[in-house]
């Protein structure tokens, strides 16, 4: 091997932005010769993989969830000698006894294998040599250095911004040391003695169990006392931490900071987020809800920056949809900027648009990702698999029978009734004429079915067209309801599985209704007959506000009822927002109604369908539990396979879950800045 190949070089492993905006972690090695640089690279690759995946079993891997706050680099340095200097601990752990082996290495690290001496130590000039190496490769000011010693044996030690491990150290020991540096956490292990110092700054240890720093994380009554067994299931206040077994407390029997397990206890997990979130892009501005995990409950995907995080809901009481005792998400199971698979790698972009639906037909909802970039647009089929997603197909520039453009609108629908979600794609913006395409899913790719150029049957395509997906006749083939706002024309289409035909047309009016440009359509089976009906609302074009209910008879709409100015128990107003849901679990799709603009108080109500009319059963203002309703709040319905449909509510910094009960809405979960993904939820942690 060329002796200068690895003399001093930098390799970027993870890049999320300029160093001024992110935390830089740099892997360096001491005691690796030129011929051993390949071994060093392998060690770094293994540690890096463990840090940012869940393959080591770390379901609460906070580093993976915060990876967009970090840049990670590898710096290779040749050592004259192989291995590092070795010494033995002196009496009373002086760490000053005679060195037994002297080796010439770039950073002059020394190994003892002695716990009292932190297993290893730096030499007097180690820091200056590290700084010089970082400066030489343009990484001066890097916040954290992980030094890997070419030394067998157990060991890890943190010196603030520098942490060191041996080449045989486990992933969990690395997590422990990163807990010190990146997380600002204290050791939770102990030996004989009473702690007599001041209250530690670290979040995970405390001298005062009555007013401890993690009190809000545990339910009352919390468990106290000395642990009697190695068990992560007990939570509360346990004596012994920070090198003393008395007079100081830790929040759990075991954790990463005590026994090098792969679990950070919740106060530690939270501290990682508090310290690192300013450098993260994480927010709740784009949330997608679907059944990715195969339960009867909805899971959540959060898209932020060029990352997605998916939160899998377990069986109650583990998930959002628990029984009121355990209403917390089970775990974060993927946080990534790259989704790999047999179809290639999908690189998540800030401008990606995501759509949900089971295009594979396996009963799990998948993601369809669209990256709009003119003639260089891309579309990816991202299939749900245990532990995340995989890219099964990626299209560049063109879909079968279709050239992608920024103005493409995607509508997920099973138009042939084979239980695989297909795609209608519409573009009325980027060409001299409008187009509608029908692309059928075969479970692994999209196949061209039909394209309409300029005209749908009976309809000249224009930018004023609004499309809604509905199964009007209950044959499980989903088609369009089209509303042309410039002429106030409504057209109902029927899908044969390979084409669309017009079933009914309404010019300027619907039964019992004069159509206006600002009519808002809500597709819903409000009488539970298997055919999708129609709610229509207009709060703009008239003096009073109006709500219309139209029933589908399979080929056209029949008038059911119209409400003028108010629903029973609800005064309609201009900015009412409606969300279709089966609120009471009777199979009839109702409406949540939300208004944050027209009143001094924000209101959220439930409008329940009898099949022939609506009654606002509940109306709640300002606060629902601990959630303060506001104009920035967004709502997504938890569409369950069975039972009641509840609500996810969120804004940039807050995420919550609202439970619909017989007497109103209840706040069942609320998270600030991030979604808690603790494995400890089974055991009493919030």
């Amino acid at each position: 091997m060329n002796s200068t190949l690895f003399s001093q070089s930098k390799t970027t492993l993870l890049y999320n932005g300029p160093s001024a905006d992110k935390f830089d972690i740099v892997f360096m090695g001491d005691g690796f010769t030129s011929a051993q640089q390949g071994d060093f690279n392998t060690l770094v690759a293994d540690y890096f993989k463990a840090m940012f995946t869940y393959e080591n079993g770390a379901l609460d891997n906070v580093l993976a969830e915060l990876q967009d706050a970090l840049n990670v680099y590898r710096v290779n340095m040749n050592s004259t000698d192989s291995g590092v200097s070795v010494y033995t601990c002196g009496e009373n752990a002086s760490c000053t006894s005679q060195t037994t082996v002297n080796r010439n290495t770039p950073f002059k690290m020394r190994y003892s294998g002695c716990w009292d001496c932190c297993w290893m130590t730096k030499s007097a000039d180690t820091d200056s040599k590290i700084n010089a190496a970082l400066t030489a490769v343009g990484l001066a000011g890097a916040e954290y250095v992980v030094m890997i010693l070419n030394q067998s044996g157990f060991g890890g030690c943190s010196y603030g911004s520098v942490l060191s491990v041996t080449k045989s150290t486990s992933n969990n020991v690395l997590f422990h040391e990163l807990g010190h540096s990146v997380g600002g956490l204290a050791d939770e292990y102990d030996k004989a003695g009473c702690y007599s110092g001041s209250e530690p700054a670290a979040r995970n240890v405390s001298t005062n169990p009555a007013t401890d720093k993690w009190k809000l994380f545990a339910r009352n009554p919390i468990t106290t006392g000395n642990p009697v067994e190695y068990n992560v299931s007990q939570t509360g206040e346990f004596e012994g931490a920070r090198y003393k077994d008395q007079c100081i407390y830790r929040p759990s029997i075991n954790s990463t900071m005590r026994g090098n397990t792969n679990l950070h206890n919740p106060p530690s997990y939270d501290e990682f987020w508090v310290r690192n979130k300013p450098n993260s892009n994480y927010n709740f501005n784009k949330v997608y809800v679907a059944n990715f995990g195969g339960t009867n409950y909805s899971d959540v995907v959060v898209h932020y920056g060029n990352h997605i995080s998916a939160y899998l809901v377990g069986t109650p009481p583990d998930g959002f949809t628990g029984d009121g005792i355990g209403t917390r998400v089970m775990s974060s199971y993927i946080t990534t900027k790259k989704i790999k698979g047999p179809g290639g790698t999908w690189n998540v972009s800030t401008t990606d648009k995501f759509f949900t639906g089971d295009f594979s037909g396996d009963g799990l909802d998948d993601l369809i990702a669209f990256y709009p970039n003119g003639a260089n647009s891309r579309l990816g089929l991202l299939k749900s698999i245990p532990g995340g997603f995989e890219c099964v197909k990626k299209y560049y520039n063109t879909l079968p029978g279709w050239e992608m453009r920024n103005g493409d609108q995607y509508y997920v629908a099973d138009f042939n009734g084979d239980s695989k979600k297909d795609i209608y794609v519409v573009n009325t913006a980027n060409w001299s004429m409008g187009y509608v395409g029908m692309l059928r899913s075969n479970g692994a790719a999209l196949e061209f079915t039909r394209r309409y150029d300029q005209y749908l049957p009976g309809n000249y395509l224009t930018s004023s067209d609004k499309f809604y997906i509905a199964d009007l006749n209950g044959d499980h083939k989903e088609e369009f309801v089209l509303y042309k706002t410039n002429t106030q024309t409504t057209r109902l289409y029927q899908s044969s599985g390979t084409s669309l035909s017009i079933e009914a047309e309404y010019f300027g009016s619907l039964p019992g209704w004069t159509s206006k440009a600002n009519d808002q359509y809500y597709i819903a089976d409000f009488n539970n007959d298997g055919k999708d009906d129609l709610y229509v609302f207009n709060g703009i074009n008239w003096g009073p506000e109006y709500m219309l209910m139209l029933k589908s008879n399979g080929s056209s709409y029949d008038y059911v009822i119209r409400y003028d100015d108010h629903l029973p128990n609800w005064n309609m107003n201009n900015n009412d927002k409606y969300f279709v849901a089966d609120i009471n679990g009777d199979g009839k799709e109702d409406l949540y109604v939300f208004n944050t603009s027209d009143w001094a108080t924000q209101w959220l109500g439930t409008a329940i369908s009898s099949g022939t009319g609506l009654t606002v059963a509940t109306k709640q203002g300002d606060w629902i539990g601990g959630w303060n309703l506001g104009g920035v709040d967004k709502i997504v319905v938890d569409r369950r396979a069975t039972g009641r449909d509840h609500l996810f509510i969120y804004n940039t910094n807050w995420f919550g879950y609202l439970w619909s009960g017989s007497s109103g809405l209840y706040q069942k979960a609320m998270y600030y800045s991030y979604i808690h993904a603790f494995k400890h939820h089974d055991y009493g942690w919030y």
Side-chain angles (χ1 to χ4, degrees), residues 182-237:
V182 181
L185 303 172
D187 285 317
E188 295 178 16
Y189 50 80
D190 60 66
K191 59 181 181 178
C194 177
Y195 179 83
S196 59
S198 59
E199 173 68 16
R203 183 76 171 276
N204 62 319
V205 294
S206 177
T207 61
N208 191 343
T211 59
D212 64 69
K213 290 174 284 192
W214 55 83
K215 184 176 182 180
L216 295 177
F217 290 95
R219 299 188 180 94
N220 291 318
I222 59 179
T223 304
T224 61
N226 288 314
V228 295
E229 60 182 1
Y230 186 89
N231 188 345
V232 300
S233 68
Q234 298 183 40
T235 60
E237 298 159 333

Side-chain angles (χ1 to χ4, degrees), residues 644-681:
R644 299 172 179 264
D645 293 340
H646 307 292
L647 290 179
F648 295 98
I649 186 167
Y650 62 95
N651 52 54
T652 298
N653 293 313
W654 291 88
F655 188 90
Y657 187 76
L658 303 182
W659 181 278
S660 177
S662 58
S663 57
L665 291 166
Y666 306 88
Q667 175 245 310
K668 288 296 188 179
M670 186 168 67
Y671 309 98
Y672 179 68
S673 292
Y674 67 98
I675 295 176
H676 301 264
F678 308 134
K679 194 174 180 179
H680 303 276
H681 292 321

Side-chain angles (χ1 to χ4, degrees), residues 58 82 96 245 265 525:
S82 175
T96 59
D245 65 1
N265 54 46
D525 180 8

